[in-house]
Amino acid sequence: MSEAVEHQDSKQSKWSMVGKDPYAMPIEDIDLAHPGIWQANEFLPFLQRLRQEDPVHYCKESAVGPYWSVMKYKDIMEVDTSPDIYSSEPTIGIVDSFEQFTLPSFISMDPPKHDEQRTVVQGVVAPANLKNLEGLIRQRVSKIMDELPLGEEFDWVKQVSIELTTQMLATLFDFPFEDRYKLTHWSDVATAIPGGGVIDNQEQRWQAMQECLAYFTRLWNERINKEPGNDLISMLAHGEATKNMPPMEYLGNIILLIVGGNDTTRNSITGGVIALNENPDEYDKLRHDHGLIRNMVSEIIRWQTPLAYMRRTARVDTVLRGKQIKAGDKVIMWYASGNRDEEVIDRPNDFWIDRPNARHHLSFGFGLHRCMGNRLAEMQLRIVWEEIMQRFHKVEVVGEPERIYSSFVKGYSSLPVVLHPLK
Amino acid sequence: MINILFIEHDGTKHHVEVKTGGSVMQAAVSNGVPGIDADCGGACSCATCHVYVSEEWRNKVGTMEPTEEAMLGLSTDRKDNSRLSCQISVTDELDGLVLTTPEFQF
């Protein structure tokens, strides 16, 4: 996901759709790629219009050039599961790789190289290994929860969502615990849009990435001289398909694992709090039956859809829902739209913690690139909510969340809350 | 009706009786057999309906398409007798089929 850097233009860009009525403009002018409507939380009616009126939509002009938008659940499935037609190379971000720096990693590779590299590291997030990690995760979640202030306002994103996901990443990498905030920083920088608040320009990004590479190279050198361990770095250093990776490929895979394990879970942890506050009846249901947590976790991941899209590039001329897609065209699968597709998902805009078939959502993608960390993410969210419900009557949202300036990472930079203990 | 026996990793047995026509995954899900998630709903694109086919049935459940092979390649618990149950059709020839479910779906 290192290549998920989006627009180079500013927030006041002519491309922004903020404040516009999606039904009052010519449909061909709708541009979902600009981060404005995502940060302003105005994207849903745009998605809905396209889904209903032009579900395979061509945007011929945008800050990132022309691209196709795939809006329906079933069409997204088809694109995601046809790697011979829709390639993940050269990048899964909406910006073409030659326009900016990109790092090679297995998320933007096709078979067979993708399969070989992914196989090396997936064991660390496989359920058998997660079972061993559960106790440690719960211990860390409990410690974070126990130290939170009661009855006074604080930022849930910073003190819970970021703290928890960062600790988890440090654990998976066996990364020096006291330096763990560097991981959050690198993750934020890797996906930031210059001018969006985190970095001002590409040089700053490069600097941070060099620093990241230098740090991880030290860890690699340490681990390569030891017996193979169960952390991600040791697995990469000793794995047949990865031990001779060039430095940029190592960096690319590290950034992929950091961003993949960080942003997405972080924003789902925050999103769940928002969803339950917006739906007090569902919160009541949860208070009465903690057994619903497992199902709720899937519903949170659907409702939040922490990554709004993945991009593919057509390898050959093809036809999707009657539209002629040419070889080389950018094809964007809007998971955020497919997850609200009324044709497949009952009452899609409702947050419904005991939803039947809650696992049938697109947030993890489908096919060979399906999210490798999905079981870890689900486990983290489950433990978070189990521990919340042990302690607090309500995590009350007391102000507007601040949303991230991105059409890719769908998330929050802050959320003011007040904790109310169990009565 | 066709009889299928699912055995969980801890040995718990689940006998189900289904009509021909659907997939083995559907047979499991519609009869509440635990351990089959089937997140993608039967499209051979998530590998969460993984099963192990008992030796005597391996030749009868048909062969794998390349997509199934590729999806199973992403599983850490893959064995020689691994299959995705959404890709096995329930036919008359499979009456008495015995499958084991893995401890985890991934």
Side-chain angles (χ1 to χ4, degrees), chain B residues 9 13 17 32 34 37 39 46 50 64 71 75 78 80 84 90 98 103-104:
Chain B
H9 68 99
K13 291 179 175 171
E17 240 187 294
D37 291 339
D39 290 355
C46 69
H50 183 190
M64 280 196 260
M71 288 309 299
S75 168
R78 171 158 196 191
D80 288 345
L84 295 182
V90 178
V98 181
E103 184 174 7
F104 308 105

Side-chain angles (χ1 to χ4, degrees), chain A residues 77 81 118 122-123 125-128 131 359-360 366-368 370 372 374-375, chain B residues 37-41 43 45-46 48 70-71 73-76 103-106:
Chain A
M77 273 297 258
T81 56
R118 173 172 167 149
Q122 64 190 1
V125 286
K131 201 177 166 188
R359 299 191 61 84
H360 291 245
F366 280 116
L368 290 174
R370 182 170 168 81
M372 187 179 86
N374 61 355
R375 299 292 168 167
Chain B
D37 291 339
D39 290 355
C40 77
S45 50
C46 69
T48 64
M71 288 309 299
L74 300 182
S75 168
T76 45
E103 184 174 7
F104 308 105
Q105 295 288 350
F106 178 36

Side-chain angles (χ1 to χ4, degrees), chain A residues 116-117 120 235-245:
Chain A
E116 290 161 8
Q117 291 201 354
V120 173
M235 284 178 169
L236 290 171
H238 291 277
E240 259 330 294
T242 48
K243 65 183 184 190
N244 296 318
M245 274 195 290

Side-chain angles (χ1 to χ4, degrees), chain A residues 242-370:
Chain A
T242 48
K243 65 183 184 190
N244 296 318
M245 274 195 290
M248 282 303 118
E249 206 165 306
Y250 177 46
L251 179 60
N253 281 302
I254 290 291
I255 292 293
L256 168 62
L257 296 166
I258 295 178
V259 175
N262 193 29
D263 274 345
T264 49
T265 314
R266 178 206 299 181
N267 292 320
S268 299
I269 292 173
T270 308
V273 172
I274 295 172
L276 284 169
N277 272 263
E278 287 178 3
N279 297 275
D281 292 349
E282 297 298 302
Y283 211 153
D284 269 341
K285 252 192 235 171
L286 177 63
R287 284 188 196 101
H288 287 117
D289 184 1
H290 296 185
L292 294 173
I293 289 174
R294 220 172 258 271
N295 201 70
M296 177 179 79
V297 162
S298 293
E299 177 68 347
I300 288 173
I301 295 168
R302 179 194 73 87
W303 186 89
Q304 179 59 34
T305 317
L307 294 178
Y309 73 82
M310 281 285 162
R311 166 192 166 172
R312 298 290 181 259
T313 304
R315 291 172 187 277
V316 289
D317 291 355
T318 189
V319 177
L320 184 63
R321 218 177 254 270
K323 297 289 181 83
Q324 307 278 331
I325 295 173
K326 294 259 176 282
D329 284 358
K330 283 186 205 184
V331 179
I332 310 297
M333 301 177 283
W334 291 101
Y335 294 148
S337 169
N339 273 341
R340 302 287 176 124
D341 184 350
E342 37 288 279
E343 206 179 297
V344 176
I345 294 169
D346 195 16
R347 291 159 42 194
N349 289 321
D350 290 1
F351 177 75
W352 179 10
I353 67 170
D354 47 353
R355 173 183 290 284
N357 293 324
R359 299 191 61 84
H360 291 245
H361 62 72
L362 291 168
S363 301
F364 294 134
F366 280 116
L368 290 174
H369 289 277
R370 182 170 168 81

Side-chain angles (χ1 to χ4, degrees), chain B residues 5-82:
Chain B
L5 171 60
F6 292 90
I7 306 173
E8 288 185 64
H9 68 99
D10 64 2
T12 311
K13 291 179 175 171
H14 303 268
H15 291 274
V16 307
E17 240 187 294
V18 289
K19 290 181 187 156
T20 56
S23 72
V24 169
M25 178 277 283
Q26 288 165 332
V29 170
S30 57
N31 286 282
V33 176
I36 305 273
D37 291 339
D39 290 355
C40 77
C44 196
S45 50
C46 69
T48 64
C49 64
H50 183 190
V51 292
Y52 303 118
V53 180
S54 64
E55 205 47 48
E56 62 274 28
W57 290 95
R58 279 183 64 186
N59 293 331
K60 296 177 187 152
V61 292
T63 51
M64 280 196 260
E65 297 289 323
T67 313
E68 183 183 348
E69 186 82 55
M71 288 309 299
L72 272 171
L74 300 182
S75 168
T76 45
D77 303 322
R78 171 158 196 191
K79 297 180 190 165
D80 288 345
N81 60 339
S82 286

Side-chain angles (χ1 to χ4, degrees), chain A residues 15 44 70 77 85 88 97 132 151 188 243 250 275 300 304 306 308 369 372 387 407 421-422:
Chain A
W15 303 106
L44 279 177
V70 183
M77 273 297 258
I85 300 174
S88 293
S97 43
N132 301 324
D188 289 344
K243 65 183 184 190
Y250 177 46
I300 288 173
Q304 179 59 34
H369 289 277
M372 187 179 86
E387 296 303 319
S407 55
L422 287 177

